[in-house]
Amino acid sequence: QVQLTESGGGLVQPGGSLRLSCSASGRRLAINTMAWYRQAPGEQRELVANIRGGGTVYYVDSVKGRFSISRDRSLTTTFLQMNNLKPEDTAVYYCFVNNLGHDYWGQGTQVTVSS
């Protein structure tokens, strides 16, 4: 089993920044992919960004140039730096990891972009 602990959500004005973090803990950690998804009210959950073990990253078009995903040296914590936030970024953001072939989700953290 893997436990994910998220932090960093909140309320920010348009143009502002937030940094989300997600730490994984468990007995056997050999995490390959770490990712962030988001789900806005009435919408499907969408992939925002992911980072693989080799460092390859992916971003959905709507956040390119504004968001940056990274991992720490232990490869058990991922960060999502979100800059120039827009109202359409408002959603619950979920951390996702794949560990030894199994998928795990965080509890979600609310990000609200509003003036």
Side-chain angles (χ1 to χ4, degrees):
Q1 278 291 82
V2 174
Q3 294 77 44
L4 300 178
T5 304
E6 302 174 6
S7 63
L11 172 64
V12 64
Q13 292 186 343
S17 298
L18 284 174
R19 189 187 194 213
L20 306 182
S21 65
C22 172
S23 294
S25 60
R27 293 184 63 185
R28 295 179 62 199
L29 294 180
I31 298 171
N32 180 11
T33 300
M34 303 188 84
W36 291 94
Y37 287 73
R38 67 185 178 187
Q39 187 167 20
E43 302 289 334
Q44 289 190 340
R45 191 173 295 188
E46 69 166 348
L47 174 62
V48 176
N50 68 24
I51 183 166
R52 299 188 181 277
T56 304
V57 299
Y58 162 86
Y59 299 98
V60 68
D61 285 347
S62 60
V63 307
K64 286 181 179 177
R66 300 188 298 121
F67 290 13
S68 177
I69 189 170
S70 60
R71 292 170 74 162
D72 70 346
R73 287 186 174 184
S74 69
L75 303 183
T76 60
T77 299
T78 182
F79 306 96
L80 186 67
Q81 178 67 42
M82 305 184 293
N83 299 325
N84 190 22
L85 283 159
K86 304 176 180 180
E88 50 265 42
D89 295 317
T90 295
V92 178
Y93 284 69
Y94 296 91
C95 177
F96 165 91
V97 304
N98 179 276
N99 184 69
L100 298 175
H102 297 279
D103 296 340
Y104 299 90
W105 293 90
Q107 77 281 6
T109 184
Q110 177 69 45
V111 171
T112 302
V113 185
S114 175
S115 56

PDB file of all heavy atoms in Angstrom, residues 21-47:
ATOM      1  N   SER A  21       2.242  20.008  -3.470  1.00  0.00           N
ATOM      2  CA  SER A  21       3.191  18.939  -3.212  1.00  0.00           C
ATOM      3  C   SER A  21       2.444  17.662  -2.857  1.00  0.00           C
ATOM      4  O   SER A  21       1.329  17.707  -2.340  1.00  0.00           O
ATOM      5  CB  SER A  21       4.156  19.312  -2.088  1.00  0.00           C
ATOM      6  OG  SER A  21       3.463  19.463  -0.861  1.00  0.00           O
ATOM      7  N   CYS A  22       3.071  16.556  -3.140  1.00  0.00           N
ATOM      8  CA  CYS A  22       2.473  15.246  -2.875  1.00  0.00           C
ATOM      9  C   CYS A  22       3.597  14.310  -2.468  1.00  0.00           C
ATOM     10  O   CYS A  22       4.513  14.070  -3.268  1.00  0.00           O
ATOM     11  CB  CYS A  22       1.757  14.729  -4.104  1.00  0.00           C
ATOM     12  SG  CYS A  22       1.168  13.032  -3.966  1.00  0.00           S
ATOM     13  N   SER A  23       3.502  13.768  -1.265  1.00  0.00           N
ATOM     14  CA  SER A  23       4.516  12.853  -0.766  1.00  0.00           C
ATOM     15  C   SER A  23       3.941  11.456  -0.625  1.00  0.00           C
ATOM     16  O   SER A  23       2.849  11.286  -0.091  1.00  0.00           O
ATOM     17  CB  SER A  23       5.039  13.321   0.597  1.00  0.00           C
ATOM     18  OG  SER A  23       5.737  14.533   0.475  1.00  0.00           O
ATOM     19  N   ALA A  24       4.696  10.484  -1.107  1.00  0.00           N
ATOM     20  CA  ALA A  24       4.293   9.088  -1.034  1.00  0.00           C
ATOM     21  C   ALA A  24       5.033   8.395   0.098  1.00  0.00           C
ATOM     22  O   ALA A  24       6.224   8.622   0.305  1.00  0.00           O
ATOM     23  CB  ALA A  24       4.575   8.387  -2.351  1.00  0.00           C
ATOM     24  N   SER A  25       4.310   7.534   0.789  1.00  0.00           N
ATOM     25  CA  SER A  25       4.924   6.730   1.843  1.00  0.00           C
ATOM     26  C   SER A  25       4.367   5.321   1.767  1.00  0.00           C
ATOM     27  O   SER A  25       3.254   5.104   1.300  1.00  0.00           O
ATOM     28  CB  SER A  25       4.661   7.341   3.222  1.00  0.00           C
ATOM     29  OG  SER A  25       3.277   7.413   3.485  1.00  0.00           O
ATOM     30  N   GLY A  26       5.160   4.368   2.217  1.00  0.00           N
ATOM     31  CA  GLY A  26       4.744   2.979   2.180  1.00  0.00           C
ATOM     32  C   GLY A  26       5.936   2.072   2.351  1.00  0.00           C
ATOM     33  O   GLY A  26       7.081   2.523   2.410  1.00  0.00           O
ATOM     34  N   ARG A  27       5.677   0.786   2.393  1.00  0.00           N
ATOM     35  CA  ARG A  27       6.749  -0.171   2.678  1.00  0.00           C
ATOM     36  C   ARG A  27       7.613  -0.450   1.454  1.00  0.00           C
ATOM     37  O   ARG A  27       8.795  -0.674   1.584  1.00  0.00           O
ATOM     38  CB  ARG A  27       6.158  -1.463   3.203  1.00  0.00           C
ATOM     39  CG  ARG A  27       5.499  -1.317   4.568  1.00  0.00           C
ATOM     40  CD  ARG A  27       5.011  -2.652   5.082  1.00  0.00           C
ATOM     41  NE  ARG A  27       6.106  -3.595   5.285  1.00  0.00           N
ATOM     42  CZ  ARG A  27       5.941  -4.867   5.639  1.00  0.00           C
ATOM     43  NH1 ARG A  27       4.728  -5.343   5.791  1.00  0.00           N
ATOM     44  NH2 ARG A  27       6.979  -5.652   5.834  1.00  0.00           N
ATOM     45  N   ARG A  28       7.032  -0.522   0.291  1.00  0.00           N
ATOM     46  CA  ARG A  28       7.797  -0.836  -0.913  1.00  0.00           C
ATOM     47  C   ARG A  28       7.527   0.239  -1.947  1.00  0.00           C
ATOM     48  O   ARG A  28       6.526   0.219  -2.639  1.00  0.00           O
ATOM     49  CB  ARG A  28       7.391  -2.198  -1.459  1.00  0.00           C
ATOM     50  CG  ARG A  28       7.716  -3.380  -0.560  1.00  0.00           C
ATOM     51  CD  ARG A  28       7.248  -4.662  -1.209  1.00  0.00           C
ATOM     52  NE  ARG A  28       7.943  -4.889  -2.476  1.00  0.00           N
ATOM     53  CZ  ARG A  28       7.494  -5.705  -3.427  1.00  0.00           C
ATOM     54  NH1 ARG A  28       6.347  -6.334  -3.265  1.00  0.00           N
ATOM     55  NH2 ARG A  28       8.178  -5.884  -4.531  1.00  0.00           N
ATOM     56  N   LEU A  29       8.444   1.178  -2.029  1.00  0.00           N
ATOM     57  CA  LEU A  29       8.287   2.269  -2.975  1.00  0.00           C
ATOM     58  C   LEU A  29       9.268   2.126  -4.135  1.00  0.00           C
ATOM     59  O   LEU A  29      10.479   2.136  -3.916  1.00  0.00           O
ATOM     60  CB  LEU A  29       8.494   3.617  -2.287  1.00  0.00           C
ATOM     61  CG  LEU A  29       7.450   4.004  -1.233  1.00  0.00           C
ATOM     62  CD1 LEU A  29       7.782   5.366  -0.637  1.00  0.00           C
ATOM     63  CD2 LEU A  29       6.053   4.038  -1.842  1.00  0.00           C
ATOM     64  N   ALA A  30       8.716   1.981  -5.303  1.00  0.00           N
ATOM     65  CA  ALA A  30       9.515   1.945  -6.532  1.00  0.00           C
ATOM     66  C   ALA A  30       8.666   2.641  -7.587  1.00  0.00           C
ATOM     67  O   ALA A  30       8.220   2.033  -8.555  1.00  0.00           O
ATOM     68  CB  ALA A  30       9.837   0.521  -6.936  1.00  0.00           C
ATOM     69  N   ILE A  31       8.467   3.928  -7.346  1.00  0.00           N
ATOM     70  CA  ILE A  31       7.504   4.690  -8.131  1.00  0.00           C
ATOM     71  C   ILE A  31       8.042   5.006  -9.506  1.00  0.00           C
ATOM     72  O   ILE A  31       9.161   5.496  -9.639  1.00  0.00           O
ATOM     73  CB  ILE A  31       7.123   5.984  -7.407  1.00  0.00           C
ATOM     74  CG1 ILE A  31       6.446   5.647  -6.068  1.00  0.00           C
ATOM     75  CG2 ILE A  31       6.198   6.839  -8.269  1.00  0.00           C
ATOM     76  CD1 ILE A  31       6.221   6.848  -5.184  1.00  0.00           C
ATOM     77  N   ASN A  32       7.243   4.737 -10.502  1.00  0.00           N
ATOM     78  CA  ASN A  32       7.604   5.095 -11.861  1.00  0.00           C
ATOM     79  C   ASN A  32       7.005   6.466 -12.176  1.00  0.00           C
ATOM     80  O   ASN A  32       7.679   7.477 -12.114  1.00  0.00           O
ATOM     81  CB  ASN A  32       7.100   4.057 -12.852  1.00  0.00           C
ATOM     82  CG  ASN A  32       7.474   4.418 -14.280  1.00  0.00           C
ATOM     83  OD1 ASN A  32       8.266   5.331 -14.524  1.00  0.00           O
ATOM     84  ND2 ASN A  32       6.893   3.724 -15.230  1.00  0.00           N
ATOM     85  N   THR A  33       5.744   6.488 -12.455  1.00  0.00           N
ATOM     86  CA  THR A  33       5.100   7.729 -12.867  1.00  0.00           C
ATOM     87  C   THR A  33       4.434   8.437 -11.687  1.00  0.00           C
ATOM     88  O   THR A  33       3.760   7.807 -10.875  1.00  0.00           O
ATOM     89  CB  THR A  33       4.039   7.448 -13.934  1.00  0.00           C
ATOM     90  OG1 THR A  33       4.677   6.851 -15.065  1.00  0.00           O
ATOM     91  CG2 THR A  33       3.338   8.725 -14.364  1.00  0.00           C
ATOM     92  N   MET A  34       4.634   9.742 -11.613  1.00  0.00           N
ATOM     93  CA  MET A  34       3.898  10.593 -10.700  1.00  0.00           C
ATOM     94  C   MET A  34       3.182  11.644 -11.549  1.00  0.00           C
ATOM     95  O   MET A  34       3.736  12.115 -12.548  1.00  0.00           O
ATOM     96  CB  MET A  34       4.812  11.269  -9.685  1.00  0.00           C
ATOM     97  CG  MET A  34       5.623  10.295  -8.860  1.00  0.00           C
ATOM     98  SD  MET A  34       6.527  11.072  -7.502  1.00  0.00           S
ATOM     99  CE  MET A  34       5.249  11.125  -6.229  1.00  0.00           C
ATOM    100  N   ALA A  35       1.983  11.993 -11.146  1.00  0.00           N
ATOM    101  CA  ALA A  35       1.187  12.882 -11.995  1.00  0.00           C
ATOM    102  C   ALA A  35       0.229  13.714 -11.159  1.00  0.00           C
ATOM    103  O   ALA A  35      -0.029  13.416  -9.990  1.00  0.00           O
ATOM    104  CB  ALA A  35       0.392  12.075 -13.017  1.00  0.00           C
ATOM    105  N   TRP A  36      -0.269  14.749 -11.782  1.00  0.00           N
ATOM    106  CA  TRP A  36      -1.333  15.583 -11.225  1.00  0.00           C
ATOM    107  C   TRP A  36      -2.499  15.591 -12.195  1.00  0.00           C
ATOM    108  O   TRP A  36      -2.317  15.831 -13.387  1.00  0.00           O
ATOM    109  CB  TRP A  36      -0.853  17.007 -10.984  1.00  0.00           C
ATOM    110  CG  TRP A  36       0.136  17.114  -9.880  1.00  0.00           C
ATOM    111  CD1 TRP A  36       1.496  17.102  -9.985  1.00  0.00           C
ATOM    112  CD2 TRP A  36      -0.155  17.244  -8.487  1.00  0.00           C
ATOM    113  NE1 TRP A  36       2.068  17.209  -8.740  1.00  0.00           N
ATOM    114  CE2 TRP A  36       1.075  17.307  -7.802  1.00  0.00           C
ATOM    115  CE3 TRP A  36      -1.332  17.338  -7.745  1.00  0.00           C
ATOM    116  CZ2 TRP A  36       1.158  17.440  -6.416  1.00  0.00           C
ATOM    117  CZ3 TRP A  36      -1.254  17.471  -6.366  1.00  0.00           C
ATOM    118  CH2 TRP A  36      -0.018  17.521  -5.713  1.00  0.00           C
ATOM    119  N   TYR A  37      -3.679  15.328 -11.664  1.00  0.00           N
ATOM    120  CA  TYR A  37      -4.930  15.443 -12.382  1.00  0.00           C
ATOM    121  C   TYR A  37      -5.755  16.540 -11.725  1.00  0.00           C
ATOM    122  O   TYR A  37      -5.486  16.931 -10.589  1.00  0.00           O
ATOM    123  CB  TYR A  37      -5.715  14.133 -12.328  1.00  0.00           C
ATOM    124  CG  TYR A  37      -5.170  13.016 -13.181  1.00  0.00           C
ATOM    125  CD1 TYR A  37      -4.005  12.337 -12.833  1.00  0.00           C
ATOM    126  CD2 TYR A  37      -5.833  12.616 -14.341  1.00  0.00           C
ATOM    127  CE1 TYR A  37      -3.510  11.305 -13.610  1.00  0.00           C
ATOM    128  CE2 TYR A  37      -5.337  11.574 -15.132  1.00  0.00           C
ATOM    129  CZ  TYR A  37      -4.191  10.932 -14.748  1.00  0.00           C
ATOM    130  OH  TYR A  37      -3.705   9.903 -15.530  1.00  0.00           O
ATOM    131  N   ARG A  38      -6.760  16.991 -12.427  1.00  0.00           N
ATOM    132  CA  ARG A  38      -7.695  17.939 -11.828  1.00  0.00           C
ATOM    133  C   ARG A  38      -9.104  17.658 -12.312  1.00  0.00           C
ATOM    134  O   ARG A  38      -9.311  17.108 -13.395  1.00  0.00           O
ATOM    135  CB  ARG A  38      -7.305  19.384 -12.132  1.00  0.00           C
ATOM    136  CG  ARG A  38      -7.416  19.785 -13.591  1.00  0.00           C
ATOM    137  CD  ARG A  38      -6.874  21.204 -13.792  1.00  0.00           C
ATOM    138  NE  ARG A  38      -6.931  21.616 -15.199  1.00  0.00           N
ATOM    139  CZ  ARG A  38      -6.399  22.733 -15.662  1.00  0.00           C
ATOM    140  NH1 ARG A  38      -5.758  23.581 -14.828  1.00  0.00           N
ATOM    141  NH2 ARG A  38      -6.488  23.036 -16.945  1.00  0.00           N
ATOM    142  N   GLN A  39     -10.051  18.064 -11.473  1.00  0.00           N
ATOM    143  CA  GLN A  39     -11.454  17.879 -11.827  1.00  0.00           C
ATOM    144  C   GLN A  39     -12.233  19.102 -11.384  1.00  0.00           C
ATOM    145  O   GLN A  39     -12.303  19.411 -10.185  1.00  0.00           O
ATOM    146  CB  GLN A  39     -12.023  16.624 -11.175  1.00  0.00           C
ATOM    147  CG  GLN A  39     -13.419  16.285 -11.638  1.00  0.00           C
ATOM    148  CD  GLN A  39     -13.832  14.886 -11.228  1.00  0.00           C
ATOM    149  OE1 GLN A  39     -13.265  14.279 -10.310  1.00  0.00           O
ATOM    150  NE2 GLN A  39     -14.820  14.336 -11.914  1.00  0.00           N
ATOM    151  N   ALA A  40     -12.798  19.783 -12.355  1.00  0.00           N
ATOM    152  CA  ALA A  40     -13.646  20.940 -12.083  1.00  0.00           C
ATOM    153  C   ALA A  40     -15.092  20.472 -11.938  1.00  0.00           C
ATOM    154  O   ALA A  40     -15.450  19.398 -12.442  1.00  0.00           O
ATOM    155  CB  ALA A  40     -13.526  21.949 -13.222  1.00  0.00           C
ATOM    156  N   PRO A  41     -15.932  21.243 -11.275  1.00  0.00           N
ATOM    157  CA  PRO A  41     -17.336  20.844 -11.097  1.00  0.00           C
ATOM    158  C   PRO A  41     -18.010  20.571 -12.433  1.00  0.00           C
ATOM    159  O   PRO A  41     -17.924  21.369 -13.368  1.00  0.00           O
ATOM    160  CB  PRO A  41     -17.954  22.067 -10.403  1.00  0.00           C
ATOM    161  CG  PRO A  41     -16.821  22.704  -9.694  1.00  0.00           C
ATOM    162  CD  PRO A  41     -15.622  22.501 -10.580  1.00  0.00           C
ATOM    163  N   GLY A  42     -18.656  19.420 -12.532  1.00  0.00           N
ATOM    164  CA  GLY A  42     -19.368  19.061 -13.748  1.00  0.00           C
ATOM    165  C   GLY A  42     -18.498  18.594 -14.887  1.00  0.00           C
ATOM    166  O   GLY A  42     -19.002  18.336 -15.980  1.00  0.00           O
ATOM    167  N   GLU A  43     -17.188  18.493 -14.633  1.00  0.00           N
ATOM    168  CA  GLU A  43     -16.261  18.084 -15.679  1.00  0.00           C
ATOM    169  C   GLU A  43     -15.630  16.742 -15.339  1.00  0.00           C
ATOM    170  O   GLU A  43     -15.640  16.309 -14.193  1.00  0.00           O
ATOM    171  CB  GLU A  43     -15.152  19.134 -15.859  1.00  0.00           C
ATOM    172  CG  GLU A  43     -15.642  20.529 -16.194  1.00  0.00           C
ATOM    173  CD  GLU A  43     -16.195  20.621 -17.600  1.00  0.00           C
ATOM    174  OE1 GLU A  43     -15.769  19.816 -18.452  1.00  0.00           O
ATOM    175  OE2 GLU A  43     -17.053  21.493 -17.843  1.00  0.00           O
ATOM    176  N   GLN A  44     -15.051  16.109 -16.375  1.00  0.00           N
ATOM    177  CA  GLN A  44     -14.321  14.879 -16.134  1.00  0.00           C
ATOM    178  C   GLN A  44     -12.927  15.199 -15.590  1.00  0.00           C
ATOM    179  O   GLN A  44     -12.380  16.278 -15.835  1.00  0.00           O
ATOM    180  CB  GLN A  44     -14.194  14.087 -17.442  1.00  0.00           C
ATOM    181  CG  GLN A  44     -15.504  13.481 -17.913  1.00  0.00           C
ATOM    182  CD  GLN A  44     -15.300  12.513 -19.064  1.00  0.00           C
ATOM    183  OE1 GLN A  44     -14.275  12.540 -19.750  1.00  0.00           O
ATOM    184  NE2 GLN A  44     -16.262  11.628 -19.265  1.00  0.00           N
ATOM    185  N   ARG A  45     -12.374  14.236 -14.886  1.00  0.00           N
ATOM    186  CA  ARG A  45     -11.013  14.404 -14.393  1.00  0.00           C
ATOM    187  C   ARG A  45     -10.053  14.396 -15.579  1.00  0.00           C
ATOM    188  O   ARG A  45     -10.162  13.549 -16.460  1.00  0.00           O
ATOM    189  CB  ARG A  45     -10.663  13.289 -13.408  1.00  0.00           C
ATOM    190  CG  ARG A  45      -9.380  13.488 -12.638  1.00  0.00           C
ATOM    191  CD  ARG A  45      -9.203  12.433 -11.575  1.00  0.00           C
ATOM    192  NE  ARG A  45     -10.238  12.520 -10.545  1.00  0.00           N
ATOM    193  CZ  ARG A  45     -10.221  11.816  -9.414  1.00  0.00           C
ATOM    194  NH1 ARG A  45      -9.208  10.992  -9.164  1.00  0.00           N
ATOM    195  NH2 ARG A  45     -11.189  11.937  -8.536  1.00  0.00           N
ATOM    196  N   GLU A  46      -9.107  15.344 -15.584  1.00  0.00           N
ATOM    197  CA  GLU A  46      -8.162  15.409 -16.685  1.00  0.00           C
ATOM    198  C   GLU A  46      -6.731  15.402 -16.176  1.00  0.00           C
ATOM    199  O   GLU A  46      -6.435  15.907 -15.081  1.00  0.00           O
ATOM    200  CB  GLU A  46      -8.392  16.672 -17.538  1.00  0.00           C
ATOM    201  CG  GLU A  46      -8.038  17.980 -16.857  1.00  0.00           C
ATOM    202  CD  GLU A  46      -7.951  19.152 -17.827  1.00  0.00           C
ATOM    203  OE1 GLU A  46      -7.946  18.945 -19.066  1.00  0.00           O
ATOM    204  OE2 GLU A  46      -7.857  20.291 -17.325  1.00  0.00           O
ATOM    205  N   LEU A  47      -5.852  14.843 -16.991  1.00  0.00           N
ATOM    206  CA  LEU A  47      -4.434  14.831 -16.681  1.00  0.00           C
ATOM    207  C   LEU A  47      -3.871  16.226 -16.922  1.00  0.00           C
ATOM    208  O   LEU A  47      -4.023  16.777 -17.999  1.00  0.00           O
ATOM    209  CB  LEU A  47      -3.709  13.813 -17.555  1.00  0.00           C
ATOM    210  CG  LEU A  47      -2.183  13.779 -17.453  1.00  0.00           C
ATOM    211  CD1 LEU A  47      -1.739  13.411 -16.051  1.00  0.00           C
ATOM    212  CD2 LEU A  47      -1.611  12.814 -18.483  1.00  0.00           C
TER     213      LEU A  47
END
